[in-house]
Amino acid sequence: MKFKEKLQSIGACSDAIEWVGNISLEEAYATCERGDWMLWLAAKSGCNLRVLTAAKAACAALALPYMKDSRSIAAVEAARKFGRHEISEKELAAAYAAAYAAAYAAADAADAADAA
């Protein structure tokens, strides 16, 4: 099965399928500029949760200079710690919930500012 067909069979987005064209998984991995696509593929392929979370944390860490809410920053650190087996999945989930609340609050604030 070609890589493109594999992506179609696991429900990849149409943009990813179009981008892949006829290249192989190896070529896609070497040239893809969409880390979110690679993380999605790793998750769909059954990648170990701690390894996947560590990879996600490395990507999220690139945005740390732009993060203003301590809950979001703490979630990135929690993901790093989870990847290193320093915290439990329950602790990671708590950090995720706090970061989600921060994002929701920021979106509400932005909506209120737009309405004003």
Side-chain angles (χ1 to χ4, degrees):
M1 177 184 291
K2 289 184 178 182
F3 182 47
K4 181 177 184 175
E5 293 167 353
K6 174 68 175 171
L7 289 178
Q8 290 169 326
S9 73
I10 61 174
C13 69
S14 59
D15 288 344
I17 293 168
E18 182 180 337
W19 176 81
V20 163
N22 290 318
I23 65 175
S24 68
L25 168 61
E26 293 77 14
E27 292 170 303
Y29 180 78
T31 61
C32 184
E33 294 182 4
R34 294 286 307 265
D36 57 325
W37 287 357
M38 293 292 112
L39 291 169
W40 179 88
L41 181 59
K44 284 288 196 177
S45 300
C47 183
N48 175 280
L49 181 60
R50 288 190 186 269
V51 171
L52 181 60
T53 303
K56 291 177 181 181
C59 292
L62 298 172
L64 280 171
Y66 308 103
M67 292 183 191
K68 302 202 182 319
D69 194 293
S70 61
R71 296 171 290 183
S72 299
I73 296 165
V76 175
E77 185 54 31
R80 288 174 167 164
K81 287 181 177 181
F82 181 76
R84 295 189 303 256
H85 297 262
E86 295 173 4
I87 65 170
S88 69
E89 195 169 340
K90 185 176 179 180
E91 291 168 302
L92 177 66
Y96 168 82
Y100 185 85
Y104 188 79
D108 269 357
D111 288 346
D114 285 346

